Structures are given as structure tokens and as C-alpha cells.
Amino acid sequence: MRPLPELTPANEWFWKSGSDDVLRIQGCADCGQLVHPPVPICPYCRSRSSKPTAMSGRGTVVGFTVNSHRWLPGFDPPYVIANVALAEDPRIHLTTNIVGCEPSDVRIGQEVSVRFEQQEDVWLPLFEPTGATDPIDRVAEPVRPVPRPPVSEERFEHRAVLSGIGRSRIGRRLMVDPLSLAIDACLEAVADAGLKLEDIDGLSTYPGALGMGMSEGGPTAIEEALRIHPTWINGGSDLPGPGGSVIAAALAVASGLCRHVLTFRTVWESTFAALAATGAIAQGGTGQRVSGPFREWRAPFGAMSAANWIAMNAQQYMHRYGAPREMLGLIAINARTNAGLNPVAIYREPLTMDDYLSARPITSPFGLYDCDVPCDGSIAVVVSDASVAGELPHPAVRIEAVGTQILERVSWDQGTLTHEPQVLGQSAHLWTRTDVRPSDVDLALIYDGFTFNAVSWIEGLGFCGFGEAYDWLDGGRRIALDGELPVNPHGGQLSEGRTHGFGFIYEAVVQLRHDAGERQVAGATTAVVTSGGGTPSGVLLLQRKDA
């Protein structure tokens, strides 16, 4: 029942290579560098000449997770998903399965050798332990990348403000049309900004018209429902995370193309899952071949979820720095504690460390409370020309800076392994566009699709050094509402619900307006908001207009 890759002229040689028990990787015919996944040009010398190159089939486990959740019928847990660095070039990684041993026997640094398994016309490269341990650490220490300097002293960010916010109901299995949720949020945001629909001249969203409970239908659906005739629209997933739609809106406003852009994000994942379980809507046949730059190289090995992909990096982090699972537990407990003060949060009951550690395993080191909560809901934000700041019914929230530069491999398994991918580059870029420093930030709205996402962002943004998060958290005191850096006062996606980035922007605006009630961070004027649980991602630094 493994999903098998769709064979094309570009990849067929790889997936059939094992027919003679030889693992082959794309090699440049001119400079000799190995490249994976296959691409039509050498990223090192730009040669267009390449050839399949035989490998020894030996490698080292540099990340792994024991998956305990059933993602697919017939693909029975537990099974080990691993990231294996090849002996010939440890920069080349394969997401694969470790076989031939008990899942509990797999460890980082274990040497493994390939063993092919034929499924129809595909030979899957699986790996089994050799019994040896690699004496060399095959994962480089993380470094803070150096972004390009700004092209000028001017900042487009300063020509836009967040003028209005709106939110629909948020809950589990609301069984409501997602477009209806989106309209509720959009109308509320426009009214909150003191505007009329006729004032809106732009629409921007993430991820556009995507299925699987991830969208209301994109800007076209909103325009058709509201008939507002925008001068500019934007919708898609190739943005700096979900918050990239807000960044794009700020660019449109700063350029003079628009004056008021309505941005929005809608999910209805829990209703979609409920309907799919009854057969009311189709999820797609399990017998179909998989394709695409991410799914092709992961789905055949049962790595079906970002939980699996990020868990492998979490294991590398914990191995490298000696951090215990309790570090992740502190993130989950803080979220739940804050959610207890948020009347719209889905989960508000207290959570203890014993509760966290004894929860049902999902994919090691993640248990149930390491994972965010699929839900239904929509959030909208109006981005306006900064000239209207003094006319708004609420204090304007200005965009001080953004971080968007990609400085790592846009990959879940080929680049950064010590942290979540696409965190370090965008974080470094943010601080080149402002004089504000991490010590000036009053609160952090940190993407927490999984607890390890939050750890990665905390370190990536420089609130502490690499590998220092567990000590820095100080038993959770530092990130509490009354701590040095309050994190996710609303409960984050771990407890409020997974609104894919927009919930953090909404909460930042509420906090900077000083309208958060019991969970208000005292005197908050500056907030950092991260957006994205993988590739790509982005960061916004927000301030009160009068700060």
C-alpha cells in the first residue's frame, strides 16, 4: 500500500536503478558533483550534462522518527522514517525507511546500507543497519547566514499599516461552508478598519484555491461573493509563508497600486476530514501515483505529514544538544496555559508535564500535544496606506520590517537538519531591515505547527543561541505572559487552532492595540510574528504606530 512515484523521463532512472541492486544519484558530467533530487542543471557549475552515478549504497542516519500514527491504509505503524546521508557525499540525503531491526534500535550516527524493495515497476531504496557507528558527525553545526544588505535606506514596510482585523467562528467540525467563514472574517475586518467594501481595492490570500480543506477558493471566490472589483489580486502558496500574503499586500500599497488591501486565510480541515470519512467528498484515490518536488521523495516511505519531516530534525537537534522532550513540553504547556485566558481557543483545559509526556505518540519525539489542532475558521487583515493611520478607529499597527530572504535549501531534507528549514535565513534577513534588536521585542507570536517549530524560531531569531533553548526557557517562565518574552499569548496553533499563520497576526494586532483583556502583555509596543512551518517562511516585525 505504499504510494509509488509517478515515473517521468526525469526520474525513471532513479526509481528503476535498484533493478541491479545499485543505488545511483545524479552526477554532473563536467564538475563531478552529486545532485539530489535530480534537476536539469548542475547547481555548482551550471552544466546541463549529467549522468546517473553509481554509489556504494552506504550511508549514515542523520535524522529519524518512529512513526506511530496510521496515515495510510495497509502501511502499518510503527515504522522508522529516516534521513540518510550518503557516504560519498554527506550533503546528499535520502528520506527512506530503516528496516531489518527493531524501531527502538535506530539511532543517529548509525551506519546503514541500501536494500531495494521492488513494488510494481519501482525499486525503493530502503536501508538496514550494518552494526557500525559512523565516527564522523555528518551534520554541520548551524551558522547564522549573512543576508544581502538592503538596496536603500527606504523601507516599503513603513508605507503600510495594518488597519483592520476580523475573525469568523473558530472550532472543530463546524460543518459550515468555508466561503461563508471567509465572508464573516472579511466583513468584520473591513468594518474594524472603519471602511466600506467600496474602499477595498486589493485582495491577497494564502494559499489560493487549494483543496483538502485548506482554502475558501481564493481571491476569485471572495471577489465573486462581494463584487468589490479590486485593482490587484494575489493568491498562492509560493510566498514567504502564509504571512507572505500580508507582505505582498504591503508591497502593493507601498507601490501606490492599492490603498486598502483585504488579506485573508480560511481553513476547514476538520469539517473536510469529517466529510471525507463518510465518503461525502473525495480525498483522491490511494492507488494514484505521487508526484511533485516534495511528495515524490517522501510519500513512498510513509512520510506523509510535516509531523514526520520536522520530527526527524527535532531528533537531530535533541541528539546534538542533549535536550530532553521536556523542552518541547514547555512549549505545549505554555500554549495551553495562555489558551485558558482566550475564550475562542479550542482547547483551554490545563495541561501538565505528566499529561504531555504520557500522551499518545504520533511520530517520535512528537506526541499528541506536540501537534497543532486542525480546525475550521477564517481570519482577515486589512493592509492600508500609512497616510490613513490617524483616521483609524483603532491604534494603527505599523510594519517595521520583514524577513523574507531564502538562504537555505528550499527542502525539507536536503539542507538544514538541526532546526526547522527556512527559519535561519528569514530571521537573519529581518534584523538587516531595522534598528530594533531582539532585546527590544515585547512579545513573540511564534509559528507552532509543532512544538519544535517554536524552538527553531526562538533560536533562529536570536533570542538565545543555537542549542540553548531548553536552558533559556527556564522551566517555561521566560515565555510566560509575565515573562521576559511572552510567546503566543492566545495559545498558538497548539491550543487555539491551526489557522496557518493568520492567528498570530490577528493576536499581534490585538496585543499592540492593548485589547487582549486577561492575556494582555503589559505595555506591549513591539511584536515579532513568524509565519510558516517549513518551506517557505517569513517574518514580520510589528509596532504600534505611536511607538
Side-chain angles (χ1 to χ4, degrees), residues 163-187:
S163 59
I165 53 174
R167 179 172 58 190
S168 73
R169 284 189 295 156
I170 294 178
R172 299 271 285 168
R173 294 177 287 277
L174 296 179
M175 311 307 285
V176 174
D177 173 24
L179 183 56
S180 178
L181 296 174
I183 294 301
D184 289 345
C186 289
L187 293 178

Side-chain angles (χ1 to χ4, degrees), residues 313-533:
N313 290 34
Q315 291 278 33
Q316 167 61 223
Y317 178 101
M318 295 167 71
H319 166 80
R320 176 171 297 274
Y321 299 116
R325 274 199 72 208
E326 283 81 353
M327 174 187 68
L328 304 179
L330 294 174
I331 301 294
I333 292 168
N334 178 73
R336 183 62 63 84
T337 300
N338 293 343
L341 301 175
N342 179 3
V344 306
I346 292 173
Y347 292 123
R348 304 178 63 200
E349 302 82 5
L351 180 69
T352 68
M353 187 61 77
D354 285 342
D355 295 332
Y356 169 81
L357 293 173
S358 61
R360 175 170 63 90
I362 302 298
T363 184
S364 65
F366 297 157
L368 182 64
Y369 298 121
D370 290 291
C371 307
D372 59 11
V373 184
C375 67
D376 302 341
S378 183
I379 294 173
V381 178
V382 178
V383 180
S384 296
D385 188 282
S387 65
V388 307
E391 307 166 12
L392 300 174
H394 305 283
V397 173
R398 65 191 294 266
I399 305 173
E400 166 61 18
V402 301
T404 58
Q405 188 177 352
I406 295 173
L407 289 163
E408 306 158 79
R409 288 281 296 272
V410 185
S411 169
W412 291 90
D413 63 357
Q414 297 298 317
T416 301
L417 299 184
T418 58
H419 294 75
E420 175 198 338
Q422 296 297 303
V423 163
L424 306 184
Q426 287 84 346
S427 295
H429 186 222
L430 177 74
W431 303 120
T432 68
R433 299 187 61 80
T434 178
D435 293 329
V436 175
R437 297 295 92 188
S439 59
D440 300 321
V441 175
D442 298 312
L443 74 154
L445 286 306
I446 301 288
Y447 197 94
D448 60 351
F450 305 97
T451 51
F452 185 64
N453 295 71
V455 170
S456 296
W457 280 112
I458 287 169
E459 293 189 356
L461 285 164
F463 292 115
C464 66
F466 294 138
E468 297 177 0
Y470 181 56
D471 290 338
W472 180 86
L473 287 168
D474 189 24
R477 286 176 285 275
R478 186 168 262 121
I479 60 173
L481 279 178
D482 59 353
E484 178 184 315
L485 183 72
V487 169
N488 295 349
H490 60 314
Q493 298 187 153
L494 293 170
S495 288
E496 184 187 65
R498 179 167 69 207
T499 50
H500 278 143
F502 263 57
F504 302 104
I505 299 172
Y506 185 98
E507 178 69 11
V509 173
V510 170
Q511 288 283 341
L512 295 178
R513 288 178 176 179
H514 299 171
D515 287 341
E518 288 186 275
R519 66 180 189 277
Q520 179 63 50
V521 174
T525 61
T526 303
V528 67
V529 184
T530 72
S531 177

Side-chain angles (χ1 to χ4, degrees), residues 256-276:
L257 184 60
C258 300
R259 187 169 174 81
H260 302 287
V261 179
L262 178 61
T263 71
F264 51 94
R265 175 80 176 98
T266 308
V267 292
W268 56 295
E269 290 181 274
S270 58
T271 288
F272 179 88
L275 293 174

Side-chain angles (χ1 to χ4, degrees), residues 156-157 204 232 240-252 263 383 399 401-404 537-540:
F156 81 89
E157 296 99 317
S204 184
W232 172 83
S245 59
V246 174
I247 296 172
L251 284 163
T263 71
V383 180
I399 305 173
V402 301
T404 58
S537 297
V539 192
L540 297 101

Side-chain angles (χ1 to χ4, degrees), residues 111-373:
E111 290 189 348
V112 290
S113 61
V114 73
R115 186 181 87 185
F116 289 97
E117 178 179 302
Q118 183 180 0
Q119 298 261 331
E120 299 180 15
D121 55 353
V122 170
W123 279 260
L124 296 165
L126 312 181
F127 285 79
E128 55 188 358
T130 65
T133 299
D134 193 335
I136 301 172
D137 184 358
R138 300 295 178 178
V139 177
E141 283 288 335
V143 296
R144 298 197 185 278
V146 179
R148 293 186 182 92
V151 297
S152 75
E153 293 298 318
E154 295 185 4
R155 296 290 181 269
F156 81 89
E157 296 99 317
H158 299 173
R159 297 197 287 273
V161 295
L162 307 188
S163 59
I165 53 174
R167 179 172 58 190
S168 73
R169 284 189 295 156
I170 294 178
R172 299 271 285 168
R173 294 177 287 277
L174 296 179
M175 311 307 285
V176 174
D177 173 24
L179 183 56
S180 178
L181 296 174
I183 294 301
D184 289 345
C186 289
L187 293 178
E188 184 175 293
V190 172
D192 184 69
L195 301 172
K196 300 177 181 178
L197 281 177
E198 298 79 51
D199 298 317
I200 299 299
D201 52 8
L203 294 174
S204 184
T205 189
Y206 176 101
L210 193 67
M212 304 295 287
M214 300 291 283
S215 167
E216 69 296 294
T220 301
I222 294 295
E223 198 285 324
E224 178 64 18
L226 297 178
R227 311 289 174 90
I228 56 180
H229 309 301
T231 60
W232 172 83
I233 63 169
N234 168 71
S237 56
D238 285 331
L239 292 169
S245 59
V246 174
I247 296 172
L251 284 163
V253 167
S255 70
L257 184 60
C258 300
R259 187 169 174 81
H260 302 287
V261 179
L262 178 61
T263 71
F264 51 94
R265 175 80 176 98
T266 308
V267 292
W268 56 295
E269 290 181 274
S270 58
T271 288
F272 179 88
L275 293 174
T278 65
I281 55 177
Q283 295 193 71
T286 56
Q288 294 177 348
R289 294 286 179 115
V290 295
S291 61
F294 295 136
R295 297 183 69 217
E296 173 186 347
W297 307 102
R298 292 154 189 75
F301 307 100
M304 300 301 296
S305 167
N308 303 132
W309 315 335
I310 294 175
M312 289 189 278
N313 290 34
Q315 291 278 33
Q316 167 61 223
Y317 178 101
M318 295 167 71
H319 166 80
R320 176 171 297 274
Y321 299 116
R325 274 199 72 208
E326 283 81 353
M327 174 187 68
L328 304 179
L330 294 174
I331 301 294
I333 292 168
N334 178 73
R336 183 62 63 84
T337 300
N338 293 343
L341 301 175
N342 179 3
V344 306
I346 292 173
Y347 292 123
R348 304 178 63 200
E349 302 82 5
L351 180 69
T352 68
M353 187 61 77
D354 285 342
D355 295 332
Y356 169 81
L357 293 173
S358 61
R360 175 170 63 90
I362 302 298
T363 184
S364 65
F366 297 157
L368 182 64
Y369 298 121
D370 290 291
C371 307
D372 59 11
V373 184

